[in-house]
Amino acid sequence: MLIAQDVRRSGTVSGGCLEAAVAKKAWWLTSDGPVVERYSTLDDDGDLPYGSGCGGVVYILLERRQTAAPLLQALYAAFEARVPLAIATVLEGPRIGRRAFASALTRDSVAPLLDEDRAQGDLALLAAQALENRSPQDTTIDIDSAPTRVWVDYRTARPGLWIFGAGDDAKPLLNLARELGWFVAIADGRSHLATRARFAKADEVHAFDIRELPSAAPPALDLHPTDVAVLITHSFEQDSRILAWLLGGGRTLAYIGVLGPQRRTREAITEAARLLQHVPSAKLIDQWLEDLHAPTGLDLGADTPASIALSILSEVQKVLSASTALPLRNVRAPRDAAAHA
């Protein structure tokens, strides 16, 4: 959460119960540098509760721009490049707020310190390990001969959504993904549809020669391994050539979805195999079909462009987060009951 000196704020640190309390004293509390402040939301905790329905204790690192600037710069760079970022942050002691970063862009971009600084090297190692393991860690290391708590955060890459198809049904899909903060690109072989005027909210809009696929593709179609591709072209030729390019070049994506009946997708895969000069055997077709989400989306009873977009992005979110998509009452209620047993 960013807080201005006049207490204006952007972002959140809770479900809405703590923000005002945090902003009220953040500037005063950080007068001597970064500090970890304790906030209680428990009625029986002895502190002034802030009305949270869930209850609990939250510890928040408060700091001013002087120490937070490298973090903001690293987050922005990783966000724009759509790459994961690991951050090791000291949470106590005289070095509180010091950090090391690891990403595909940089391994250590903290405020300048001496190369022989052992503590900084240890932080950089923790960040590199978190990036490799793709998981956060709450740990303690020796800094200046004292056990010191360090939080190692892992931020996944910003989701990138490639919408192949520039029809009207691409618009609600684009709008919803942008509301989620995703990178969104529109790509279509029909130049009269794939225009910036029709998709002003998109990060990128590409009109390409479909005949170039699958043997080649415009360099501008820069898909990352963490990206998502959804085919809604309503064109059998486009779907076949795009699928041949996506499936036949050893390209790995986090999710590939195809709109329409699975029977049609099977036929498009069969044609894709022919375009790649493969023998379209049943084994190959079944293997490729297994790699796809076809039909794309969850069963939400969707029957309008907007509800279909919700269905598609719901399944994408499920896959990216490796979650169940079950009702929360079926997931959390048994866990809460077990905790109170």
Side-chain angles (χ1 to χ4, degrees):
M1 182 171 69
L2 299 178
I3 307 170
Q5 197 169 352
D6 62 3
V7 196
R8 288 178 300 152
R9 63 183 188 269
S10 176
T12 180
V13 291
S14 75
C17 56
L18 292 177
E19 283 68 18
V22 173
K24 184 177 180 181
K25 295 183 178 181
W27 184 256
W28 172 72
L29 289 169
T30 56
S31 60
D32 295 327
V35 61
V36 173
E37 187 70 7
R38 178 182 184 274
Y39 295 87
S40 173
T41 60
L42 292 173
D43 290 336
D44 58 352
D45 192 74
D47 294 339
L48 179 66
Y50 298 112
S52 170
C54 55
V57 175
V58 179
Y59 293 87
I60 300 176
L61 173 63
L62 306 174
E63 58 183 325
R64 297 189 184 181
R65 182 174 13 180
Q66 181 179 1
T67 56
L71 171 63
L72 298 177
Q73 293 165 5
L75 287 170
Y76 179 79
F79 182 83
E80 287 295 299
R82 307 200 314 276
V83 297
L85 174 67
I87 312 152
T89 306
V90 178
L91 295 183
E92 59 188 6
R95 295 181 185 246
I96 184 171
R98 291 293 181 91
R99 294 183 171 89
F101 306 106
S103 74
L105 303 175
T106 178
R107 288 192 173 275
D108 191 1
S109 58
V110 297
L113 292 170
L114 296 176
D115 292 339
E116 60 268 21
D117 190 323
R118 173 67 182 275
Q120 196 59 40
D122 290 343
L123 289 176
L125 179 60
L126 287 173
Q129 291 172 343
L131 185 67
E132 181 179 357
N133 297 332
R134 301 180 182 180
S135 63
Q137 181 184 11
D138 189 356
T139 188
T140 300
I141 63 174
D142 283 339
I143 297 181
D144 300 329
S145 302
T148 304
R149 187 181 179 191
V150 175
W151 169 247
V152 190
D153 197 10
Y154 175 76
R155 314 297 300 176
T156 58
R158 177 192 184 193
L161 173 63
W162 288 80
I163 304 174
F164 288 95
D168 290 341
D169 54 351
K171 294 179 180 179
L173 192 57
L174 161 66
N175 293 338
L176 183 53
R178 289 294 292 155
E179 282 291 317
L180 295 171
W182 295 6
F183 167 91
V184 186
I186 303 289
D188 199 303
R190 297 162 293 191
S191 58
H192 66 288
L193 292 179
T195 65
R196 175 58 66 181
R198 281 173 51 79
F199 298 100
K201 291 185 179 180
D203 292 277
E204 297 179 7
V205 180
H206 301 282
F208 59 93
D209 188 345
I210 190 64
R211 294 170 296 181
E212 295 181 356
L213 301 179
S215 58
L221 300 184
D222 181 24
L223 279 69
H224 295 196
T226 53
D227 285 351
V228 168
V230 175
L231 280 64
I232 56 173
T233 69
H234 303 283
S235 164
F236 183 81
E237 180 188 8
Q238 285 213 64
D239 282 358
S240 300
R241 289 186 174 274
I242 294 168
L243 285 172
W245 176 59
L246 293 175
L247 297 173
R251 187 171 287 98
T252 301
L253 293 178
Y255 177 104
I256 303 176
V258 185
L259 189 69
Q262 192 174 93
R263 170 189 52 78
R264 178 185 178 280
T265 301
R266 178 179 287 274
E267 293 172 356
I269 292 176
T270 302
E271 179 60 23
R274 294 194 183 100
L275 290 169
L276 292 167
Q277 299 181 344
H278 294 327
V279 176
S281 65
K283 181 178 180 180
L284 176 65
I285 303 307
D286 289 342
Q287 176 185 335
W288 280 358
L289 195 60
E290 183 68 22
D291 294 336
L292 301 177
H293 296 267
T296 180
L298 296 180
D299 183 11
L300 301 180
D303 58 1
T304 65
S307 60
I308 290 171
L310 176 62
S311 167
I312 293 172
L313 289 188
S314 295
E315 185 183 40
V316 172
Q317 176 67 25
K318 170 188 178 297
V319 171
L320 294 182
S321 62
S323 57
T324 66
L326 293 172
L328 289 177
R329 66 178 182 179
N330 294 351
V331 177
R332 294 187 177 177
R335 186 170 60 199
D336 293 342
H340 289 85

